[in-house]
């Protein structure tokens, strides 16, 4: 069984889908690993390191893909219309595992089916206990939350912790994190470690305890509607217009006191929800910083310009794209381990071959195409 690891070629992408550590373990499962030359360069992983781990280094993507049963990538492959057909030479029936962005790339999902590929979108991994080690969104969001706070400090003109010196006392910075998912919780923890006074807000009542356990205060209109604003499955319910108005007023007042704001709210397949409008930015302190982790989906702030760092009303708005890739070495290590955890139960120990049970909850969740058809119910055409 041959596994091909392709080099990432999209702008700003420095990660790689395997590391020497995971290569050794996949070889131990009976796989032959072929890595495209230079695939690990952006993450500080040389061809020599992969070769020492037992991988074969292929000169280009076509050579790596020849007869490969499994194709590993970070981002979706480029198409011919984008200047290169990265799947040219892939054999029908091969498994493609990557972050495929199917909600926004439905035409490419159809192309995977036409090619006869078994396309698996790793970001659709079910949020179940058995799949925790395979959850690429969590592993990458965790690093993005950490990096967001560091990016904020780069543009913030003051120190974060309280400092008492002979020349006087420096007051601690105030940080608000909007969205207490994986990225938000890591941002809270990082800002707390740096000595800031941290608060956070989220539409899910259950996050209040998580936020407070990290030493931050929780910001929300705590009425009966909020206490019941979560489904049994842990998702947020739609709030009434009256509640939304009260919450927006509270956030607007809270923002006026903040030095740094990190926004993290994303909804799969939809534009990022608008959390901060232009008037809220205008009312913030001069010198404040907003880091918008939802920039790739349009941004949580009305004034966000994806991919840029801008100044509006004296407030710096940081909107880097592909934040996890800015920590490429660690992001690659975690992503590669996610893929290893995903592939290990799919490889039969006795025959050393790939065995796919498409009735399994995990494979049902991530599989977009197989047998020449789009099979995932969310992406089938009616």
């Amino acid at each position: 069984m041959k596994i091909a690891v392709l080099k990432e070629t999209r702008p700003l992408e420095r990660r790689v889908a395997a590391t020497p550590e995971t290569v050794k373990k996949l070889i131990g499962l009976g796989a032959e690993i072929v890595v495209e030359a230079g695939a690990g360069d952006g993450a500080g992983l040389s061809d020599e390191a992969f070769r020492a781990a037992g991988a074969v280094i292929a000169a280009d993507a076509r050579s790596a893909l020849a007869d490969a049963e499994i194709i590993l990538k970070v981002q979706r492959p480029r198409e011919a219309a984008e200047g290169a057909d990265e799947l040219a030479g892939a054999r029908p029936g091969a498994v493609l595992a990557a972050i495929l962005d199917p909600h926004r790339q439905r035409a490419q999902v159809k192309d995977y089916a036409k090619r006869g590929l078994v396309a698996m979108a790793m970001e659709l991994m079910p949020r179940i206990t058995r799949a925790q080690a395979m959850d690429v969104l969590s592993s990458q969001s965790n690093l993005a939350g950490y990096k967001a706070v560091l990016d904020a400090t780069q543009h913030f003109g003051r120190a974060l912790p309280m400092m008492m010196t002979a020349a006087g006392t420096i007051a601690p910075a105030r940080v608000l994190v909007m969205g207490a998912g994986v990225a938000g919780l890591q941002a809270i923890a990082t800002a707390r470690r740096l000595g800031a006074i941290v608060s956070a807000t989220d539409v899910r009542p259950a996050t209040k305890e998580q936020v407070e356990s990290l030493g931050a205060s929780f910001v929300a209109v705590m009425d009966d509607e909020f206490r019941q604003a979560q489904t049994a499955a842990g998702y947020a319910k739609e709030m009434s217009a009256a509640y939304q108005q009260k919450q927006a007023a509270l956030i607007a007042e809270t923002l006026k006191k903040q030095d740094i704001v990190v926004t993290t709210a994303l909804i799969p397949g939809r534009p990022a929800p608008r959390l901060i409008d232009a008037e809220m930015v205008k009312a913030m302190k001069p010198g404040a910083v907003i880091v918008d982790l939802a920039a790739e989906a349009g941004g949580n702030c009305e004034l966000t310009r994806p991919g840029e760092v801008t100044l509006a009303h004296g407030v710096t708005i940081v909107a880097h794209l592909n934040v996890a890739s800015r920590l490429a070495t660690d992001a690659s290590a975690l992503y590669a381990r996610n893929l290893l955890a995903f592939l290990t139960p799919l490889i039969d120990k006795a025959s050393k071959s790939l065995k796919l049970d498409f009735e399994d909850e995990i494979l049902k969740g991530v599989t977009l195409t197989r047998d020449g058809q789009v099979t995932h119910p969310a992406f089938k055409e009616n």
Side-chain angles (χ1 to χ4, degrees):
M1 178 181 56
K2 177 179 174 180
I3 299 176
V5 179
L6 299 189
K7 182 178 180 178
E8 302 299 317
T9 61
R10 292 193 176 276
L12 306 178
E13 186 53 76
R14 299 170 53 214
R15 293 171 291 180
V16 62
T19 63
E21 173 200 3
T22 62
V23 163
K24 287 180 182 178
K25 292 180 178 178
L26 288 168
I27 290 173
L29 294 173
E32 173 195 356
I33 311 298
V34 179
V35 178
E36 183 181 355
D41 288 352
L45 301 170
S46 66
D47 290 346
E48 289 70 26
F50 281 111
R51 191 177 286 111
V56 174
I57 304 300
D60 52 34
R62 185 177 285 273
S63 301
L65 286 171
D67 297 320
E69 292 183 48
I70 301 173
I71 304 163
L72 302 183
K73 286 192 93 275
V74 180
Q75 291 203 46
R76 64 185 178 89
R78 288 167 65 200
E79 301 177 284
E82 297 175 286
D85 182 358
E86 293 187 338
L87 292 178
R91 77 179 206 179
V95 171
L96 168 65
I99 300 171
L100 298 176
D101 194 14
H103 290 287
R104 293 189 293 182
Q105 305 297 334
R106 290 175 179 264
Q108 193 166 13
V109 173
K110 293 179 185 177
D111 183 62
Y112 301 143
K114 289 178 183 177
R115 293 173 186 262
L117 297 174
V118 181
M120 297 185 176
M122 294 302 295
E123 69 267 47
L124 299 183
M125 189 65 62
R127 293 294 178 91
I128 58 176
T129 302
R130 183 162 57 94
Q132 284 182 340
M134 312 171 194
D135 188 347
V136 302
L137 290 183
S138 291
S139 72
Q140 304 304 290
S141 294
N142 186 58
L143 288 170
Y146 164 80
K147 185 62 171 171
V149 176
L150 298 190
D151 287 341
T153 64
Q154 180 182 352
H155 296 279
F156 185 51
R158 290 175 40 211
L160 264 63
M162 181 176 74
M163 295 184 183
M164 300 180 70
T165 75
T169 299
I170 297 174
R174 293 185 175 272
V175 176
L176 173 66
V177 177
M178 304 184 76
V182 173
L185 292 173
Q186 182 56 249
I188 292 168
T190 302
R192 285 281 297 150
R193 285 195 292 268
L194 291 175
I197 296 174
V198 185
S199 56
T201 183
D202 196 285
V203 295
R204 297 165 296 165
T207 60
K208 181 176 184 292
E209 183 178 343
Q210 295 173 301
V211 165
E212 292 176 344
S213 72
L214 293 171
S217 59
F218 193 74
V219 180
V221 176
M222 304 295 292
D223 60 11
D224 289 340
E225 183 177 359
F226 176 78
R227 294 185 185 94
Q228 299 172 21
Q230 189 166 313
T231 67
Y235 294 99
K237 291 182 181 178
E238 183 75 22
M239 307 297 283
S240 70
Y243 181 87
Q244 291 179 29
Q245 188 174 6
K246 289 188 291 184
Q247 178 71 0
L250 175 61
I251 295 302
E253 285 302 310
T254 303
L255 285 170
K256 294 177 183 179
K257 306 169 187 174
Q258 304 306 310
D259 298 299
I260 292 171
V261 180
V262 177
T263 68
T264 70
L266 286 167
I267 303 172
R270 293 171 58 185
R274 184 60 48 76
L275 304 181
I276 303 174
D277 62 27
E279 288 301 313
M280 292 177 178
V281 176
K282 192 174 182 179
M284 291 177 68
K285 296 178 181 180
V289 177
I290 297 171
V291 180
D292 194 337
L293 283 182
E296 292 192 56
N300 295 140
C301 176
E302 181 181 358
L303 301 182
T304 288
R305 294 182 183 176
E308 299 182 26
V309 177
T310 55
L311 187 67
H313 308 298
V315 177
T316 301
I317 303 172
V318 181
H320 293 305
L321 303 177
N322 199 354
V323 175
S325 182
R326 300 177 68 232
L327 295 168
T329 301
D330 288 332
S332 297
L334 295 180
Y335 181 76
R337 289 172 195 156
N338 292 146
L339 289 177
L340 174 65
F342 174 65
L343 292 174
T344 297
L346 306 182
I347 300 174
D348 183 71
K349 292 181 180 179
S351 64
K352 310 292 185 184
S353 62
L354 194 63
K355 290 197 173 180
L356 304 177
D357 175 11
F358 290 105
E359 294 304 310
D360 180 83
E361 184 178 3
I362 290 175
L363 288 188
K364 272 186 177 180
V366 302
T367 303
L368 300 174
T369 65
R370 63 185 176 95
D371 300 327
Q373 302 292 324
V374 177
T375 57
H376 197 290
F379 305 101
K380 279 184 178 180
E381 290 188 344
N382 295 330

